[in-house]
Amino acid sequence: LLTDYAWPDDSVERSVIEEAGHTLVTGPADPASAEAIEELVAEHRPAGILTCWAPVSATAIGASPDLRIVARLGVGLDNIAVDTATERGVWVTNVPDYCVEEVSDHAVGMVLAWTRGLAKSDREVRAGRWDPAGARLRRLSTLTCGVVGYGRIGRATVGKLGAFGCRILAHDPYPPKDAPGAEMVGLEELLRRSDVVILHVPLTPGTHHIIGTEQLALMPPGGLLVNVSRGGLVDTDAVIKALDSGHLDGAAFDVLETEPHVPAGLLEQPGALLTPHIAFSSDASVTELRRRAAEEVVRTLAG
Ligand code: NAD
């Protein structure tokens, strides 16, 4: 049972599931309510559930005696009653690494958009201003970039930034034995030395507002903060104040604490570059996500 699909059709999931000899039933296109999913599960009694955003509640999990797996099309599992699934011996799977390339590309793209003034210049030209002398641009190879979180995506970003010849610092509470291309340092040192700070950290109670007033004050004046991880990592009001004062020159955010609401104080900032939580997305990553989630179902049903 595919509970919901945000894509134009269910062809990728269908080909994987049907090739293995199973039947795919597709639910509503929009993220459905918990009750709607519970009814669907009770009606079809599936052996596997594929879900993107639709909630798979404890009731839904209990509604199919044949259920063996709930596969999430994505990374996080917060829309699935994992405890109930575990108690009942139902597997819960995710696809943790389908978009490493895309998110690291997005981060590097945001850095280049800032050093080369791409978004700002585009806005000015469209507004009828042709002012090459007014642009404040930078040579990336003279800058220091600090990557906070040296996991799958952080490593990929470090690797890509290496091609630009900048100095690269990285911070992770579990530093690896070797970090090719990066100097591993503490968070405070990273902040003090980095013109560009890029966040690749998961949001946990320990990382909530990991960047706030104090941390921004440590950064050299005129820098850039990039957040492509989770909005809650950053104290948005502190960033708006730092942009207002000019201490921070740029803030490039793919995620916001309040998404989909964008605070007016951020929209007014010429130094803000905002994208609507799309860093994960490309044709390739979405196809890979759908295929691999369906393969988890097939693998589990095959025992
Ligand atoms: P990962 O688990 O491979 O790496 C995360 C790293 O952060 C780990 O090495 C961990 O030790 C480190 N870390 C934990 N706490 C830290 C701290 N306080 N300071 C520094 N480092 C810390 O995860 P990943 O696949 O690299 O993904 C990173 C994050 O990117 C995810 O948690 C998710 O929030 C975000 N993400 C965003 C999008 C998007 O579309 N914008 C898509 C995918 C992932």
Side-chain angles (χ1 to χ4, degrees):
L1 173 71
L2 179 61
T3 61
D4 59 344
Y5 58 107
W7 342 112
D9 63 67
D10 61 9
S11 58
V12 176
E13 296 85 351
R14 186 167 292 282
S15 67
V16 174
I17 300 286
E18 291 185 350
E19 212 165 277
H22 305 297
T23 309
L24 183 76
V25 176
T26 303
D30 288 324
S33 67
E35 294 72 30
I37 299 302
E38 287 156 12
E39 277 171 29
L40 271 176
V41 174
E43 182 188 344
H44 297 287
R45 299 176 150 233
I49 298 176
L50 277 153
T51 186
C52 188
W53 299 113
V56 178
S57 66
T59 310
I61 287 168
S64 175
D66 300 328
L67 190 64
R68 308 255 302 277
I69 174 168
V70 180
R72 167 89 217 282
L73 290 132
V75 185
L77 296 172
D78 33 281
N79 58 328
I80 300 168
V82 178
D83 290 349
T84 308
T86 310
E87 275 163 30
R88 291 179 161 261
V90 172
W91 286 88
V92 178
T93 60
N94 65 349
V95 187
D97 57 355
Y98 70 99
C99 59
V100 171
E101 292 297 331
E102 283 74 12
V103 181
S104 54
D105 283 356
H106 209 83
V108 174
M110 285 175 148
V111 174
L112 290 172
W114 177 69
T115 57
R116 304 310 307 147
L118 302 181
K120 219 187 248 181
S121 299
D122 178 69
R123 281 196 296 267
E124 296 205 346
V125 171
R126 284 170 198 275
R129 284 191 296 277
W130 190 271
D131 177 22
R136 195 185 153 219
L137 307 178
R138 298 161 182 85
R139 180 182 276 188
L140 181 48
S141 65
T142 64
L143 302 179
T144 299
C145 294
V147 175
V148 184
Y150 192 72
R152 283 178 288 250
I153 298 172
R155 273 166 210 265
T157 295
V158 167
K160 289 171 187 179
L161 281 174
F164 295 96
C166 48
R167 181 184 294 276
I168 306 170
L169 308 178
H171 167 69
D172 198 294
Y174 307 101
K177 281 204 189 85
D178 71 321
E183 182 188 344
M184 297 302 297
V185 296
L187 181 59
E188 191 176 321
E189 181 177 350
L190 180 144
L191 293 167
R192 284 190 195 284
R193 290 173 58 194
S194 298
D195 305 291
V196 173
V197 172
I198 306 170
L199 302 179
H200 287 309
V201 188
L203 179 62
T204 63
T207 59
H208 180 254
H209 284 192
I210 192 172
I211 300 295
T213 306
E214 260 177 59
Q215 290 72 25
L216 291 167
L218 294 175
M219 284 178 67
L224 167 73
L225 175 66
V226 176
N227 186 9
V228 288
S229 288
R230 285 292 178 269
L233 296 172
V234 172
D235 178 347
T236 316
D237 290 336
V239 168
I240 292 171
K241 281 191 191 121
L243 287 167
D244 272 337
S245 75
H247 179 69
L248 198 59
D249 186 72
F253 292 164
D254 183 54
V255 286
L256 293 172
E257 278 184 288
T258 52
E259 66 186 55
H261 172 71
V262 187
L266 207 52
L267 283 175
E268 288 161 7
Q269 301 292 338
L273 172 60
L274 305 168
T275 56
H277 204 146
I278 51 168
F280 71 91
S281 177
S282 76
D283 289 350
S285 67
V286 170
T287 302
E288 182 178 335
L289 170 69
R290 296 170 61 188
R291 178 180 54 75
R292 287 176 54 191
E295 284 171 355
E296 292 289 1
V297 173
V298 169
R299 223 192 325 271
T300 304
L301 298 188

